[in-house]
Amino acid sequence: EALQPLLEENSDVCLASVNSSERCVVSGPERSIKAFQKQATEQGFENRIIRTSHAFHSHMMDDMLEEFEQCVRSVDIHPGRIPFISNLSGEKVRNEEISQARYWVDQLRNTVHFAEGIDYLLKEKDSAILIEVGPGTALSSFVRANASKKRDHKVVSTIRHPKKPTNDLAYLLDALGEMWTFGLEVDWDRFIEDEKRRKLSLPTYAFEKVRYPDVL
């Protein structure tokens, strides 16, 4: 809502995505984006340029929409088996929607309503573990910034940010341990099924209890 006046002044710029109540992405030609950025900065909006290969979710994708639709029509789309939230509506998707090629065209061209989808999910579940399976922690930060997030909504990312100097396996195992402490049931038999383990005898030690005075 706060960006609407700027978008009306810059008709060549489109609202690409609404990621949280305070984070949005606009898309369009480079010259128009730079002009938009200048105005946004003057009005006190923190911002930065995102480097991408295309101006996704903007009118600059229009030339390929018809070809993309024909491509989707050639694919057999089966009814969904796992419920998911639509980025178009911010609500649970319906099978009659995803069976239409136009849905996927609109998904490519129109605004991504990620914040509304997360808001819908958080309001539906009083407690939940939200797991980010892609690289980095961008989506996790969007979820944490959502006004509907409660204490019992836990957020875990499974792949480190490229700039985080941590071993990938160690990061993943930390994430798994964090999910387990949040109450996720882990299939440990499957987790270790490819490992070969041996018992190792360790030296014993005395179980001598020693009491220490409380220190204030």
Side-chain angles (χ1 to χ4, degrees):
E1 289 79 2
L3 289 179
Q4 282 304 322
L6 272 177
L7 290 168
E8 292 170 3
E9 291 181 30
N10 298 269
S11 58
D12 213 18
V13 174
C14 299
L15 182 61
S17 65
V18 180
N19 292 325
S20 73
S21 58
E22 297 181 353
R23 297 185 182 184
C24 298
V25 178
V26 297
S27 183
E30 186 173 359
R31 180 178 298 179
S32 302
I33 290 295
K34 287 183 177 179
F36 186 95
Q37 183 185 33
K38 184 175 182 296
Q39 290 179 273
T41 301
E42 291 172 349
Q43 295 188 24
F45 292 108
E46 293 185 10
N47 61 82
R48 66 182 178 90
I49 297 292
I50 300 174
R51 300 297 175 185
T52 62
S53 59
H54 296 74
F56 297 110
H57 307 289
S58 80
H59 61 86
M60 295 187 74
M61 305 301 296
D62 290 351
D63 290 345
M64 56 81 68
L65 295 182
E66 184 176 348
E67 182 181 353
F68 179 72
E69 183 171 0
Q70 293 303 318
C71 181
V72 176
R73 289 184 185 279
S74 68
V75 177
D76 292 330
I77 302 176
H78 299 279
R81 292 180 296 174
I82 301 175
F84 67 92
I85 307 296
S86 169
N87 274 334
L88 285 175
S89 64
E91 298 179 354
K92 283 184 178 179
V93 75
R94 304 188 305 275
N95 280 325
E96 53 266 32
E97 287 182 282
I98 61 174
S99 64
Q100 303 296 319
R102 193 66 211 178
Y103 173 86
W104 302 102
V105 174
D106 291 341
Q107 176 83 6
L108 184 150
R109 170 64 178 86
N110 295 350
T111 302
V112 174
H113 294 279
F114 182 80
E116 291 183 29
I118 293 298
D119 192 64
Y120 176 92
L121 190 61
L122 295 178
K123 288 180 178 178
E124 184 181 59
K125 303 285 186 180
D126 290 330
S127 62
I129 304 173
L130 292 93
I131 305 168
E132 181 167 1
V133 296
T137 59
L139 300 184
S140 297
S141 64
F142 298 154
V143 173
R144 291 188 179 96
N146 193 290
S148 298
K149 181 184 177 301
K150 301 182 179 67
R151 182 177 180 179
D152 289 333
H153 292 139
K154 308 299 183 181
V155 185
V156 180
S157 59
T158 56
I159 303 178
R160 67 179 176 85
H161 189 279
K163 294 184 179 180
K164 189 176 181 65
T166 304
N167 178 274
D168 290 323
L169 179 58
Y171 190 93
L172 179 61
L173 292 177
D174 281 343
L176 179 64
E178 193 174 9
M179 287 182 263
W180 178 73
T181 61
F182 291 154
L184 186 73
E185 292 186 10
V186 180
D187 187 341
W188 296 111
D189 290 334
R190 288 192 62 188
F191 179 74
I192 64 172
E193 64 181 353
D194 294 326
E195 295 186 14
K196 295 181 179 179
R197 297 174 173 238
R198 295 184 303 169
K199 289 185 177 181
L200 180 64
S201 297
L202 296 175
T204 59
Y205 62 95
F207 290 87
E208 297 179 358
K209 293 184 178 181
V210 179
R211 297 183 65 87
Y212 295 91
D214 293 334
V215 179
L216 299 179

